[in-house]
Amino acid sequence: DLKDKEGIVNLALKLKENGGLKCIFTAGTDFSASVSYACEKLNLPSHSFVAATNASIKTQMRECFQKDLVPSPLFVKLSNSCDIEKIVEEKFKGFYPLVVKPVDNMGARGCRMIRNKKELLSAVDLAIKSSKSGYAILEEFMEGPEYSIDALIYNGTMTITGFAERHIKYPPYFIEIGHTMPVTLDKKIHAELISAFALGAKSLGLTCGAAKADIKYTEKGPMIGEIAGRLSGGYMSGWTYPYASDLNLTKQGLLIACNKE
């Protein structure tokens, strides 16, 4: 169980005692919090556990962004005890579409667009049921092209490594069927997206290892969907980026985790 933090620590301690542990690392999976928890216990390089949790729990992430004025959508945290229809009227002025997600799940499970009032209650119920903690997050929908950006953070420097345009299909769900790298994009927009990503990573407290952003360019400018404390999945960091750049990004992430240059 990759969410069993104490079990991972116990295994890591046994490996370290036997001289067989150099680092703890994940690439394209949403278990960066488990990695950071174990790394803190064993004094290994990683993002802090607080930062990794900020990058894993969607409501904590949005709260960080809100506090530090990082561009991101209007949101509200929901549970089964909420008057959801009233919240939509008060918080979002009854405007659709909206997006609902479990606060602590991955792979877009329980995540969908809500296009009208008829879809509201059933969509929120599914998102809450898909959450281990029993909470969902409801957000305004961001209209615009979506980009996936990979970075490595090392010795206080954030280096952008991969920049791809995501191809999302099958509404009301968000299924990534591929991505394009390199991206043909106006330099000003490119710089704005990277600046928003850097501001968001700093807000979450990510300082040592990988970071990955899903970010849209809307009529308001860049708006961050999510930032994770890991390399991207969906073949981007493991396949597309090495083919596009001739650089093994996973290797570079592992070097940081092993306290190497």
Side-chain angles (χ1 to χ4, degrees):
D1 180 1
L2 294 177
K3 289 188 178 181
D4 178 9
K5 299 189 298 293
E6 299 299 339
I8 292 170
V9 168
N10 292 336
L11 173 61
L13 285 169
K14 290 178 184 177
L15 292 171
K16 191 174 184 180
E17 288 168 3
N18 294 324
L21 182 70
K22 297 296 181 185
C23 73
I24 306 172
F25 178 79
T26 189
T29 70
D30 283 317
F31 294 102
S32 56
S34 298
V35 169
S36 291
Y37 182 81
C39 285
E40 280 193 357
K41 296 292 185 182
L42 275 73
N43 197 30
L44 294 170
S46 74
H47 300 305
S48 72
F49 177 60
V50 169
T53 303
N54 287 340
S56 301
I57 307 298
K58 294 176 178 63
T59 42
Q60 284 184 215
M61 185 185 303
R62 289 280 181 255
E63 287 162 3
C64 290
F65 292 165
Q66 190 176 61
K67 177 173 67 73
D68 294 324
L69 304 179
V70 178
S72 60
L74 186 69
F75 75 97
V76 64
K77 184 178 180 180
L78 299 176
S79 70
N80 277 324
S81 61
C82 293
D83 186 337
I84 296 163
E85 291 183 341
K86 183 179 179 182
I87 287 171
V88 169
E89 289 299 322
E90 293 180 351
K91 188 81 174 181
F92 301 99
K93 310 303 180 187
F95 289 138
Y96 292 90
L98 300 169
V99 176
V100 68
K101 312 170 186 175
V103 299
D104 53 1
N105 211 330
M106 61 200 74
R109 284 186 289 277
C111 175
R112 61 162 289 171
M113 182 194 302
I114 302 172
R115 295 165 292 190
N116 52 58
K117 189 174 181 179
K118 289 181 179 179
E119 297 179 345
L120 176 64
L121 296 181
S122 60
V124 170
D125 182 62
L126 178 61
I128 290 172
K129 287 177 178 176
S130 300
S131 165
K132 188 174 182 180
S133 61
Y135 289 97
I137 183 169
L138 188 66
E139 304 173 347
E140 60 180 336
F141 175 70
M142 300 179 289
E143 189 70 59
E146 184 169 348
Y147 302 94
S148 184
I149 312 176
D150 265 330
L152 293 176
I153 303 173
Y154 173 71
N155 281 353
T157 298
M158 183 178 185
T159 301
I160 301 299
T161 53
F163 197 120
E165 182 171 3
R166 303 182 77 198
H167 305 306
I168 309 294
K169 303 292 183 183
Y170 304 111
Y173 306 100
F174 302 98
I175 310 300
E176 183 175 6
I177 63 166
H179 48 257
T180 298
M181 180 190 288
V183 173
T184 303
L185 195 59
D186 178 85
K187 286 185 177 180
K188 179 177 179 291
I189 294 175
H190 190 272
E192 287 179 24
L193 289 163
I194 289 173
S195 294
F197 178 20
L199 187 64
K202 183 178 180 180
S203 174
L204 299 178
L206 299 173
T207 57
C208 180
K212 183 257 185 182
D214 293 332
I215 183 168
K216 287 191 171 187
Y217 198 84
T218 73
E219 61 180 13
K220 300 177 183 177
M223 296 280 279
I224 294 175
E226 294 182 9
I227 293 177
R230 55 165 174 80
L231 293 175
S232 59
Y235 298 107
M236 180 175 157
S237 61
W239 292 76
T240 320
Y241 181 72
Y243 285 146
S245 68
D246 200 32
L247 178 69
N248 186 330
L249 187 56
T250 305
K251 177 182 177 181
Q252 301 305 314
L254 276 166
L255 287 172
I256 295 172
C258 290
N259 203 26
K260 296 183 181 293
E261 187 173 343

